[in-house]
Amino acid sequence: MKEVVINPITRLEGHGKIVIVLDDAGNCVKAYLQVPELRGFEMFAVGRHVEDMPQITSRICGVCPTAHHMASTKALDDLYKVDPPLPAKKIREMVYNIFMLEDHALHFYILAGPDFIVGPRAPKEERNIIGVIGKVGKEVGLKIIEMRRKLRKLIEMIGGKVIHPVFGLPGGISRPLSGEIVENAKKIADEAIGFAEFTYKVFKDIVLNNKEYVNLITSEAYTHRTYYMGLVDDKNKVNFYDGKIRVVSPRGVEHAKFDIHQYSDYIAEHVEPWTYIKFPYLKKIGWIGFVDGEDSGIMSVAPLARLNASDGMATPRAQEAYEEMYETLGGKPVHHTLANHWARIIEIIYAAERFRELANDPDIASRDVRNIPTAIPDVGIGVVEAPRGTLIHHYETDERGVVKKANLLVATQHNAARIALSVDKAARSLIRNGVIDEGLLNMVEMAFRAYDPCHACGTHSLPGSIPLKIYLYNTDGNLLKIIDRIS
Amino acid sequence: MEDFEPRIIVFACNWCSYAALDLAGTSRMKYPPNFLVIKVMCSGRIDPQFIFEAFRRGADGVLVAGCHPGDCHYIEGNYKALRRMTLLRKLLESFGIEKERFRLEWISASEAEKFVSIAHEMYREIKALGPLRIEEVSKIGEA
Amino acid sequence: MEKPKIAFYWCASCGGCEESIVDLAEKILDVVNLVDIVFWPVALDFKIKDVETMPDKSVTVSFINGGIRLEEHEYVVKLLRKKSQLLVAYGACSSWGGVPGLANLFSREEILRCVYQETPTVDNLNNTRPKTKLNIEDIVTLELPEFLPRLLPIDLIVDVDYYVPGCPPTPEVTWKAIEILLSGNLPPKGSVIGASDRSLCYECHLNETKPEKVLIKEIKRPHEVIADPEKCLLTQGLVCLGPVTRGGCGALCVKAAMPCTGCFGQLDEVIDYGGKAISYFASILDYYNEEEVEKALSRLPDPMGTFYRYSLPASRLRGKIKIMER
Ligand code: SF4
Ligand code: SF4
Ligand code: SF4
Ligand code: FES
């Protein structure tokens, strides 16, 4: 048997490594995705001032720091039993949607975009943002860059910093918004709507109009029937900032809908000896290994899962796009991993629409943005939907607000088991008769990038990096060759 | 462990404490020879960084000695030292350094005996604790 | 003339330093015009193998972010040192360890136990832990890089030419640093580049409201007060580390009415950021006897996380020290 190693997996956040085992005929019999990262956040949170956690935990991930900052800040509200004034909640939710929008745009255009826009079999020198710009034209490229810059600048103006925001405090936010910021927000929100429409069009033109891509999306290699999880509002519509956690089965039936305080009744984490990442699964279904289906507790999060777990989108344009996707792909739930890209675009539309609603809400100009906590802290749990899925922070403190215990369940982790399934299946169906070329290996990586996995996040517990290497083994267990994709 | 001889650094203010140490010497009072004295102009001049540096470079204990409150030649220097060393002590604890290894004392020029008794006490306590080993982390495998 | 070759690599990084490069936005296109990027795993499809085959010293500058936490980081950083003319520690983590460096308060064993056995949701009756080598059914041996006993800044592993500070560095600072590096007019080795050489207070819009001599009676934690955004935060009792932190960010946190936590690190000549910070901060507490000072300080139960938030592994003591067995 042969082993193929892809190391590092490129264009994703965090490090990763894929090991593929081939039999003598050159067919893939097994593939492993290893996450060689660990940093130990749960441990060194202990002893810290709990109000520092929104800034400390944002360092789990500099790509989605706003998600950690927000989940953490919400855990602080809960910990100090203080309800922020409504304007503070709205400002937080607005910032959060701006963040979702720019982060999804990063993923679509810069990280995964090259696969679709430039093409999965293009030479590696071109499969990157520069290649994307070459394909869509410099003007469009600049437009994308400029939009992201404006959105991120706005987050900085409100949050203090865009990478590692500082404005979240128990009971609200650090200071009200200036008139200038409010005006700016309204203006940028209008542009964001245009940008979202434009992105939808790019997606349709380049991806949906290309038969080969559509076949790829719906191909069996990229399909798994798992549970899906996401936050929903009281009408079961997708919500990124708040709500209840809803889980649907592979058949689309509601398995559970619960308040965040019950999370540990529903979710447990499984440990494997060959990777640093832990695998959360549905406790009531149970862990039966890396298999999909109704009896396996493996669940999936992130854009497609959120859409699958909901009954629709809370804004009109996004709802239309939502219906269009399910119509095209044959109803709910959709099990094709690569449809995550489509779902992500629908979320871009929703984020832009929600951003505009909130930017035009007179409340966000209010000076009333903070309630000072008075309760003695003990336990606090917070949740948001990060771009990459459900994110849970849980702290326990002493009466001085010093952390005694922390638990962090991070989006990429919830997806880890399904990602492992995806990589294995993609490798098995794509690598046949010893044919291993660059393009094929990239297609294995694509299975993985579709989730936009962030291993920095997933392994906050361990140190962080995600390379991809291919090792070729023969059936006697001898390592024949290590292929670094390019050799 | 029996042969362990602690190395203890004394940061002594020029105007009182250093004079007291001098006096102890000229009066032939006996105290353990393990103390290395560094003279500073005022206890307010002692930066916590010096103390970290002393531990880093192999000190098993550090004594900071200054004029009694109210007697500082620079008026406020020893109050600054008091505040700094109080905060420093909390940090040293989190670094895992036992409290016996670090002391702040007020010793006037005439208090040679006070110094001698503190010296005996520190010597005894630190000897009992054993050496402070700060691992060389420039080699990554260690810890 | 051939363009300078640039490499980026991340170790135990959060990815924020990588994003900060993407945040150069339009300028990234200028960078691409000026240089050839030969290695950048987060954005480009080149692999470590590509680097191994490059001739020594063929990369003009390598930027490393993240501290050294795994064996693999050590390997790649040493490799890039060999292949590069200049090596730059980019960001707080690679310069001094950064936030993940707080893990140095705990042993490797404590961390592994906490993460894989003790968190409330973990279901691990067999006490499984990740193994660095694992043989599966005699077919394949899966390897994971070793989780090192401590997190270290990269200059404890390799020679570092320059430092770009910040968690992460701002695009302005990064751009300035790139200009300096490409100018050919290089500052002395070991310099911090791109940021200011004065303290943050000098560029803070609230500096005018800060009196010559600050004295505070009561330490306030940020959740306990609604700070007046027009008045120096330190004078309001918040632990703002502006006076001992290098300028360069434009006082971003203070603009959002939150105190500076020191992510731009120490000024030149300071050997231990935390030591310097406690020296300054303690000296402004307006108390004159030990009990009162103690009492004031009891309002700040975590001095370690406050003063060494970004620099514990670079402190003189590097983290919690090991006392020899007795
Ligand atoms: S310095 Fe800050 S932004 Fe950069 S990798 Fe470290 S934690 Fe992330
Ligand atoms: S102490 Fe902080 S708030 Fe005051 S001037 Fe300095 S940086 Fe600004
Ligand atoms: S204000 Fe301080 S903590 Fe905030 S970005 Fe600037 S240097 Fe970093
Ligand atoms: S002069 Fe002795 S303590 Fe200041």
Side-chain angles (χ1 to χ4, degrees):
Chain A
M1 247 181 242
K2 299 175 175 183
E3 187 197 35
V4 184
V5 182
I6 308 180
N7 188 14
I9 304 173
T10 42
R11 285 184 286 125
L12 49 91
E13 304 87 13
H15 308 189
K17 172 174 156 192
I18 294 177
V19 175
I20 299 169
V21 183
L22 304 182
D23 64 14
D24 291 337
N27 295 329
C28 168
V29 289
K30 182 82 199 150
Y32 295 91
L33 166 68
Q34 294 183 277
V35 180
E37 262 193 270
L38 171 69
R39 283 167 296 164
F41 276 85
E42 286 99 339
M43 183 77 259
F44 67 77
V46 173
R48 310 285 77 79
H49 297 152
V50 73
E51 73 278 10
D52 292 340
M53 293 314 283
Q55 291 189 40
I56 288 177
T57 57
S58 82
R59 267 77 185 189
I60 288 171
C61 179
V63 180
C64 60
T66 313
H68 287 283
H69 187 76
M70 210 59 93
S72 183
T73 303
K74 287 180 67 193
L76 293 183
D77 294 341
D78 187 40
L79 180 90
Y80 280 104
K81 300 168 192 66
V82 54
D83 199 28
L86 192 60
K89 287 191 194 165
K90 288 183 178 169
I91 295 168
R92 285 186 190 171
E93 190 184 344
M94 180 176 79
V95 169
Y96 202 66
N97 278 280
I98 303 170
F99 155 70
M100 289 293 278
L101 174 54
E102 61 87 4
D103 189 280
H104 274 3
L106 168 82
H107 184 267
F108 178 67
Y109 287 109
I110 298 182
L111 300 174
D115 293 330
F116 288 109
I117 300 173
V118 188
R121 289 173 181 276
K124 68 173 181 288
E125 293 75 13
E126 286 166 27
R127 268 196 331 256
N128 54 47
I129 175 66
I130 314 294
V132 170
I133 292 178
K135 194 94 176 189
V136 296
K138 186 158 177 193
E139 218 168 289
V140 176
L142 283 173
K143 185 169 160 177
I144 300 162
I145 292 174
E146 196 196 339
M147 190 71 238
R148 277 197 86 232
R149 180 171 52 67
K150 283 187 184 167
L151 293 168
R152 288 173 68 82
K153 186 75 199 169
L154 187 58
I155 297 178
E156 179 181 297
M157 288 172 88
I158 303 173
K161 293 168 74 173
V162 60
I163 302 174
H164 308 316
V166 299
F167 76 139
L169 283 167
I173 59 173
S174 61
R175 56 133 173 61
L177 305 191
S178 67
E180 186 202 341
I181 294 178
V182 174
E183 282 321 302
N184 232 317
K186 286 185 193 160
K187 222 174 76 221
I188 296 172
D190 288 337
E191 290 176 42
I193 298 275
F195 176 76
E197 302 272 1
F198 163 79
T199 301
Y200 194 31
K201 190 169 168 300
V202 170
F203 181 76
K204 278 185 166 166
D205 290 351
I206 295 183
V207 183
L208 296 186
N209 282 342
N210 185 328
K211 198 108 192 81
E212 201 191 332
Y213 288 165
V214 177
N215 288 342
L216 200 62
I217 290 179
T218 53
S219 77
E220 192 52 31
Y222 293 111
T223 302
H224 307 282
R225 287 156 190 88
T226 62
Y227 285 80
Y228 298 96
M229 178 165 93
L231 273 182
V232 293
D233 66 14
D234 46 16
K235 296 191 189 71
N236 284 346
K237 299 282 167 81
V238 171
N239 195 297
F240 301 144
Y241 175 74
D242 210 2
K244 287 210 159 83
I245 296 181
R246 188 170 190 231
V247 183
V248 300
S249 76
R251 282 182 297 131
V253 179
E254 182 174 295
H255 158 71
K257 188 169 164 187
F258 57 92
D259 182 84
I260 186 57
H261 291 97
Q262 272 115 44
Y263 85 99
S264 61
D265 297 339
Y266 290 91
I267 305 169
E269 293 172 288
H270 170 79
V271 180
E272 282 285 331
W274 44 268
T275 182
Y276 280 126
I277 203 166
K278 294 186 279 185
F279 299 95
Y281 63 92
L282 295 166
K283 209 169 170 175
K284 305 207 164 166
I285 309 287
W287 176 266
I288 55 166
F290 291 92
V291 289
D292 61 359
E294 202 97 359
D295 303 328
S296 168
I298 291 181
M299 80 279 223
S300 172
V301 296
L304 180 63
R306 274 192 288 261
L307 268 46
N308 278 340
S310 75
D311 290 345
M313 309 304 288
T315 56
R317 288 289 296 118
Q319 176 63 22
E320 276 170 38
Y322 177 97
E323 286 164 17
E324 194 178 340
M325 178 181 90
Y326 283 110
E327 246 158 60
T328 315
L329 296 179
K332 275 172 68 181
V334 164
H335 299 292
H336 310 302
T337 303
L338 294 184
N340 261 302
H341 296 294
W342 195 337
R344 195 170 287 116
I345 307 286
I346 296 167
E347 291 195 337
I348 285 181
I349 302 171
Y350 167 72
E353 288 182 298
R354 185 72 185 130
F355 167 28
R356 186 169 60 179
E357 276 173 22
L358 289 162
N360 289 292
D361 186 321
D363 271 355
I364 69 153
S366 162
R367 314 301 295 167
D368 179 23
V369 293
R370 184 114 159 267
N371 288 326
I372 297 276
T374 50
I376 294 178
D378 49 14
V379 180
I381 305 176
V383 63
V384 292
E385 278 297 323
R388 295 150 195 85
T390 316
L391 168 63
I392 301 166
H393 283 216
H394 168 180
Y395 314 132
E396 293 176 31
T397 70
D398 66 13
E399 71 295 340
R400 298 168 305 168
V402 173
V403 177
K404 289 195 301 195
K405 206 172 180 122
N407 195 25
L408 306 164
L409 279 177
V410 176
T412 294
Q413 260 184 288
H414 294 301
N415 259 346
R418 179 165 160 137
I419 295 176
L421 277 179
S422 283
V423 169
D424 183 45
K425 194 163 174 185
R428 283 177 202 238
S429 43
L430 294 170
I431 300 178
R432 290 256 150 253
N433 304 323
V435 183
I436 304 165
D437 66 23
E438 270 287 294
L440 270 181
L441 292 182
N442 189 47
M443 280 157 77
V444 174
E445 265 190 71
M446 275 171 70
F448 168 89
R449 268 200 296 271
Y451 297 95
D452 187 13
C454 174
H455 293 272
C457 273
T459 57
H460 56 283
S461 43
L462 295 188
S465 99
I466 216 158
L468 194 56
K469 247 194 204 173
I470 306 202
Y471 296 88
L472 290 180
Y473 278 96
N474 68 13
T475 12
D476 306 325
N478 297 325
L479 178 63
L480 294 180
K481 203 171 170 192
I482 298 180
I483 300 187
D484 235 334
R485 274 211 0 189
I486 334 115
S487 57
Chain B
M1 193 56 48
E2 284 302 290
D3 334 317
F4 163 62
E5 284 301 329
R7 278 175 294 182
I8 302 170
I9 305 288
V10 187
F11 290 101
C13 144
N14 179 48
W15 303 102
C16 343
S17 315
Y18 192 78
L21 265 72
D22 236 6
L23 180 63
T26 50
S27 341
R28 297 172 186 268
M29 295 181 185
K30 278 219 166 65
Y31 66 91
N34 311 48
F35 290 79
L36 180 76
V37 185
I38 296 174
K39 184 161 81 174
V40 290
M41 289 312 280
C42 170
S43 65
R45 176 68 190 85
I46 301 164
D47 193 302
Q49 294 182 88
F50 301 175
I51 291 141
F52 288 138
E53 191 64 26
F55 282 126
R56 169 106 210 125
R57 297 211 192 171
D60 298 297
V62 174
L63 169 64
V64 171
C67 310
H68 280 268
D71 291 348
C72 171
H73 289 228
Y74 306 93
I75 328 252
E76 290 249 310
N78 52 4
Y79 291 117
K80 283 201 172 142
L82 168 73
R83 299 167 192 157
R84 286 182 179 136
M85 301 310 146
T86 311
L87 181 49
L88 174 69
R89 194 174 291 131
K90 295 179 81 162
L91 267 179
L92 288 177
E93 236 169 77
S94 324
F95 273 116
I97 294 181
E98 299 95 338
K99 62 179 189 317
E100 291 84 354
R101 296 186 190 269
F102 172 70
R103 281 169 80 155
L104 168 68
E105 296 289 347
W106 309 133
I107 304 173
S108 77
S110 59
E111 291 178 316
E113 273 170 43
K114 181 169 180 188
F115 167 72
V116 170
S117 92
I118 292 168
H120 279 292
E121 211 173 279
M122 275 189 92
Y123 173 78
R124 216 179 37 245
E125 288 175 354
I126 296 174
K127 194 169 159 84
L129 286 175
L132 176 69
R133 209 193 72 138
I134 297 174
E135 78 259 48
E136 233 350 286
V137 280
S138 48
K139 264 206 15 258
I140 199 160
E142 278 184 53
Chain C
M1 216 184 78
E2 234 190 276
K3 288 199 226 167
K5 293 191 168 66
I6 306 285
F8 297 100
Y9 186 71
W10 52 3
C11 300
S13 160
C14 76
C17 279
E18 305 275 337
E19 271 271 357
S20 77
I21 299 199
V22 179
D23 277 344
L24 284 170
E26 290 84 349
K27 281 221 161 75
I28 196 107
L29 300 177
D30 298 344
V31 175
V32 172
N33 283 333
L34 290 170
V35 304
D36 274 336
I37 302 176
V38 293
F39 184 57
W40 190 11
V42 77
L44 306 178
D45 281 354
F46 295 99
K47 310 288 177 187
I48 291 173
K49 195 66 173 261
D50 297 306
V51 181
E52 282 165 350
T53 58
M54 292 174 191
D56 287 0
K57 300 229 175 291
S58 61
V59 179
T60 322
V61 192
S62 282
F63 292 87
I64 313 285
N65 70 77
I68 310 280
R69 180 83 259 194
L70 295 178
E71 241 177 340
E72 179 176 83
H73 303 147
E74 190 186 359
Y75 171 75
V76 181
V77 167
K78 284 184 171 160
L79 178 69
L80 283 170
R81 175 68 274 185
K82 211 164 99 202
K83 304 294 178 187
S84 318
Q85 291 157 32
L86 294 174
L87 189 111
V88 175
Y90 184 84
C93 291
S94 64
S95 301
W96 328 291
V99 168
L102 288 169
N104 284 6
L105 293 170
F106 301 89
S107 68
R108 169 164 54 186
E109 170 58 27
E110 285 171 306
I111 295 172
L112 293 171
R113 193 177 346 125
C114 169
V115 171
Y116 295 106
Q117 277 146 263
E118 290 177 352
T119 58
T121 33
V122 88
D123 161 29
N124 188 5
L125 290 173
N126 306 326
N127 292 332
T128 304
R129 285 204 193 159
K131 293 200 170 58
T132 50
K133 263 197 171 53
L134 182 80
N135 190 287
I136 296 189
E137 292 160 19
D138 277 341
I139 298 178
V140 26
T141 303
L142 294 178
E143 293 186 37
L144 282 174
E146 177 101 47
F147 181 59
L148 298 169
R150 288 189 167 225
L151 187 142
L152 297 181
I154 64 170
D155 60 7
L156 288 176
I157 298 293
V158 293
D159 221 27
V160 170
D161 295 295
Y162 300 110
Y163 299 83
V164 181
C167 179
T170 59
E172 293 74 25
V173 165
T174 302
W175 183 246
K176 249 189 250 163
I178 291 176
E179 280 183 333
I180 292 171
L181 289 168
L182 297 182
S183 70
N185 197 352
L186 294 174
K189 188 173 165 183
S191 299
V192 174
I193 55 173
S196 161
D197 49 16
R198 300 215 286 173
S199 81
L200 180 71
C201 291
Y202 285 101
E203 64 194 50
C204 176
H205 57 295
L206 300 180
N207 201 23
E208 283 165 20
T209 66
K210 187 169 90 191
E212 189 66 37
K213 191 171 168 201
V214 183
L215 278 175
I216 59 175
K217 277 278 183 215
E218 203 185 349
I219 301 174
K220 299 266 175 51
R221 285 164 57 182
H223 65 291
E224 299 168 334
V225 277
I226 294 182
D228 177 351
E230 303 304 329
K231 211 172 126 212
C232 168
L233 301 175
L234 192 60
T235 62
Q236 302 182 57
L238 290 158
V239 186
C240 184
L241 295 176
V244 292
T245 300
R246 184 183 294 274
C249 70
L252 287 173
C253 301
V254 183
K255 280 184 191 151
M258 289 294 280
C260 170
T261 54
C263 83
F264 267 59
Q266 67 209 33
L267 288 150
D268 294 339
E269 328 264 296
V270 171
I271 54 169
D272 187 306
Y273 179 87
K276 182 73 198 169
I278 62 169
S279 181
Y280 176 81
F281 185 73
S283 72
I284 65 168
L285 288 175
D286 193 12
Y287 288 106
Y288 296 82
N289 71 57
E290 196 168 337
E291 286 100 278
E292 282 174 350
V293 177
E294 283 273 7
K295 199 168 149 233
L297 286 173
S298 69
R299 308 267 301 115
L300 202 70
D302 177 29
M304 199 55 113
T306 306
F307 300 107
Y308 279 110
R309 175 85 55 91
Y310 305 96
S311 63
L312 187 61
S315 71
R316 293 279 85 193
L317 302 176
R318 313 269 188 250
K320 188 151 183 167
I321 63 164
K322 193 171 102 183
I323 309 288
M324 211 156 90
E325 315 262 312
R326 244 157 287 147

